[in-house]
Amino acid sequence: MVFSLMSLIWLTLLISAHLAECVPEKPKRSALNQLTRTLLKNYDCGVRPVHNWTTPTTVYIDLTLRSVLDVDGKTQSITTSIWYRQVWTDEFLVWDPDEFEGIKAISLSSEAIWIPDVIISEFVDEGKSPPIPYVYVNSSGSVKNKRPIQAVLACTLEMYAFPFDKQNCSLTFRSLLHSVQEINLALLRNENTTANDRKQFMNDGEWELLSIPSRYRLSQQNETEYAYIQFNVLIRRRPLLYVVGLLIPSIFLMLVDVMSFYLPLNSGTRITFKISILLGYTVFRVNMTDELPVTAVRTSLIGVFFVVCMALLMLSLIKSILVVKLLHYSEKEVKEMSVSACLLDKYGSAGHVFTESDLLSLNEIQDTPTGLEWLLRELVSLRLAFSQEDSESSAQSEWLALCSKLDCFLFRLYLLVLGLYAGTLLLLWVNWSFA
């Protein structure tokens, strides 16, 4: 009985040993896995990672501008693409690399650890920014959070000098809730390096990056100090596209209008030509509306330029209409005056003077004139008609010369106004560009 029981026990042990050999051994966790579990085992992501709560956490900030995507004067906003870096020390994420196979740095989920609540004060909307769910941590507890941001920022845009304008938009980084005693800010690189860093900027677009100066400051609110770091993005527009597409065509049309003054005053084509120029400029202005900046507060200088150019074209047309009207009206008056006032001064080779009274007396003397008298009367009538036509032509020529002088005077006055306007506009643009 005892022997059978012992045999059964041995048989059970043999079967258990055999089954144990068939079951695969559970794999050992990797050093990276063990390190992650060790660091996050008792980690609380809602607590600022300092052992002494009076010690402030210093967050180092760096900014690199990649491109300026859009500048909207109507909404007073600017869309930028930037690379943003944050570096701080987490005292709860420290380990000895020798205990974990020499691992000196790992990536952790940004949702599993404490992240400083640093925001951009001018932030309006977040664009198509790719999510970066990880941060990089080294064995000394230094946490690096680097991510690209496409941000729409509120900015006071000055569009008056468009397309020779410069813009100054600020990005102010600050903690949303924590005072400077809890979270302090600092620059990761020195100010000169940050201001002159244009290597990553896409320099082939419409905007040229001048510099990005930065400064650290403290602001007091409700007897509590908060740390700020402000980056000023200084950019300048490249005006070549707008000069070629907007200004030069307008200047060409104005030059054509000026040259139209050299058309003969009595040809009848000047007014038609000027109307065609005005219609062409109107169509050009309507087609270029979308290219101009829209501001609700102040009209841009180029908008004033287009309005004044159209006003000058209308003034040129009105001036030509008045002169031509005056010319034709005076021709009619001269014609009426000539019919009643022209006299035949001379006729014949002997120098005998005939007048209308002479011709009437000839008609009264003889009712049936002889052949010689009839011929003489016809010659006198013909001489009177030629003399009257010459007098009318002379009066018309004199009035045409007078109207031409008036037209020349108005043309010079028009050139003076145009030159003063162009010089003033050019001076304003130059001053604004080099300011």
Side-chain angles (χ1 to χ4, degrees):
M1 185 68 179
V2 177
F3 178 75
S4 298
L5 183 59
M6 293 294 295
S7 301
L8 183 59
I9 293 174
W10 279 106
L11 181 60
T12 303
L13 293 174
L14 290 174
I15 294 173
S16 299
H18 179 73
L19 292 175
E21 292 177 357
C22 295
V23 176
E25 184 181 358
K26 187 177 181 180
K28 185 180 179 181
R29 289 191 179 96
S30 64
L32 181 60
N33 187 278
Q34 290 180 5
L35 176 58
T36 303
R37 286 176 175 271
T38 301
L39 292 176
L40 301 180
K41 183 177 181 180
N42 297 316
Y43 191 92
D44 189 351
C45 62
V47 179
R48 191 165 58 90
V50 290
H51 294 291
N52 184 359
W53 68 272
T54 61
T55 303
T57 300
T58 302
V59 180
Y60 296 89
I61 293 177
D62 188 27
L63 177 69
T64 303
L65 183 65
R66 296 298 305 276
S67 64
V68 177
L69 303 177
D70 184 38
V71 175
D72 193 343
K74 186 175 182 179
T75 60
Q76 292 289 290
S77 63
I78 178 174
T79 304
T80 59
S81 175
I82 61 177
W83 276 96
Y84 171 57
R85 286 194 297 171
Q86 289 179 336
V87 179
W88 69 93
T89 299
D90 192 321
E91 298 180 4
F92 299 154
L93 299 178
V94 181
W95 72 91
D96 186 3
D98 296 334
E99 296 179 0
F100 298 94
E101 300 181 1
I103 298 177
K104 295 182 180 180
I106 61 172
S107 61
L108 295 176
S109 173
S110 58
E111 297 180 357
I113 68 171
W114 180 86
I115 300 293
D117 60 336
V118 177
I119 63 169
I120 303 175
S121 299
E122 296 83 3
F123 189 82
V124 176
D125 186 19
E126 187 173 2
K128 301 177 181 178
S129 303
I132 307 297
Y134 300 103
V135 295
Y136 213 64
V137 186
N138 61 23
S139 59
S140 62
S142 177
V143 183
K144 297 179 181 179
N145 183 15
K146 182 178 180 180
R147 58 194 182 101
I149 300 177
Q150 181 179 330
V152 182
L153 307 172
C155 179
T156 303
L157 301 174
E158 182 57 67
M159 293 291 186
Y160 181 71
F162 175 90
F164 304 98
D165 55 324
K166 299 177 183 178
Q167 304 298 338
N168 182 2
C169 297
S170 60
L171 288 84
T172 306
F173 293 87
R174 53 160 291 185
S175 174
L176 183 62
L177 298 175
H178 296 84
S179 64
V180 70
Q181 286 77 21
E182 298 172 325
I183 293 182
N184 195 11
L185 302 179
L187 289 171
L188 186 61
R189 297 181 295 174
N190 61 67
E191 295 183 4
N192 292 332
T193 304
T194 304
N196 300 318
D197 185 10
R198 293 186 288 269
K199 296 179 180 178
Q200 302 296 326
F201 185 75
M202 299 176 63
N203 208 28
D204 298 331
E206 180 181 352
W207 293 93
E208 176 188 1
L209 177 61
L210 300 179
S211 64
I212 309 179
S214 57
R215 61 171 180 164
Y216 171 86
R217 62 190 178 95
L218 295 174
S219 177
Q220 189 169 358
Q221 299 177 4
N222 299 326
E223 299 181 356
T224 304
E225 284 189 329
Y226 295 88
Y228 290 81
I229 288 185
Q230 184 176 16
F231 295 90
N232 291 94
V233 178
L234 304 179
I235 54 177
R236 176 171 56 197
R237 193 192 304 268
R238 289 189 172 93
L240 182 60
L241 175 64
Y242 299 98
V243 170
V244 174
L246 296 178
L247 296 181
I248 291 181
S250 298
I251 295 173
F252 283 167
L253 288 174
M254 295 302 296
L255 290 177
V256 171
D257 178 70
V258 170
M259 296 304 297
S260 66
F261 281 97
Y262 291 96
L263 290 174
L265 187 61
N266 58 346
S267 64
T269 60
R270 180 189 288 190
I271 295 179
T272 304
F273 189 74
K274 286 183 175 294
I275 292 175
S276 301
I277 295 175
L278 182 59
L279 291 177
Y281 193 86
T282 303
V283 174
F284 166 77
R285 176 70 179 84
V286 171
N287 292 335
M288 293 294 106
T289 301
D290 295 336
E291 301 294 332
L292 299 179
V294 180
T295 57
V297 179
R298 194 178 186 185
T299 303
S300 61
L301 199 57
I302 194 171
V304 177
F305 168 75
F306 285 139
V307 171
V308 175
C309 284
M310 186 169 291
L312 289 174
L313 290 176
M314 293 183 63
L315 181 64
S316 172
L317 177 61
I318 292 173
K319 191 267 304 180
S320 297
I321 290 175
L322 291 177
V323 173
V324 172
K325 175 63 178 177
L326 182 64
L327 174 64
H328 285 277
Y329 177 79
S330 298
E331 284 181 359
K332 182 179 179 181
E333 293 295 321
V334 171
K335 187 180 296 184
E336 291 176 355
M337 293 175 61
S338 299
V339 170
S340 60
C342 280
L343 297 175
L344 183 63
D345 294 329
K346 294 181 180 180
Y347 82 97
S349 58
H352 185 74
V353 178
F354 276 87
T355 63
E356 291 182 353
S357 59
D358 294 331
L359 183 60
L360 291 175
S361 63
L362 287 175
N363 291 334
E364 292 176 355
I365 293 175
Q366 295 182 350
D367 294 334
T368 56
T370 62
L372 182 59
E373 292 176 346
W374 178 85
L375 179 61
L376 179 61
R377 188 170 62 181
E378 292 297 326
L379 289 174
V380 170
S381 300
L382 185 62
R383 180 63 182 273
L384 283 172
F386 283 142
S387 182
Q388 177 180 339
E389 183 177 355
D390 291 341
S391 178
E392 292 177 1
S393 300
S394 176
Q396 292 175 9
S397 299
E398 292 177 359
W399 187 248
L400 178 61
L402 181 62
C403 290
S404 298
K405 291 181 179 179
L406 177 62
D407 183 67
C408 182
F409 171 75
L410 294 177
F411 173 58
R412 292 177 180 177
L413 183 62
Y414 177 79
L415 286 180
L416 177 62
V417 173
L418 185 61
L420 291 176
Y421 167 68
T424 303
L425 193 67
L426 183 62
L427 183 62
L428 289 175
W429 263 328
V430 169
N431 289 338
W432 188 270
S433 299
F434 292 97

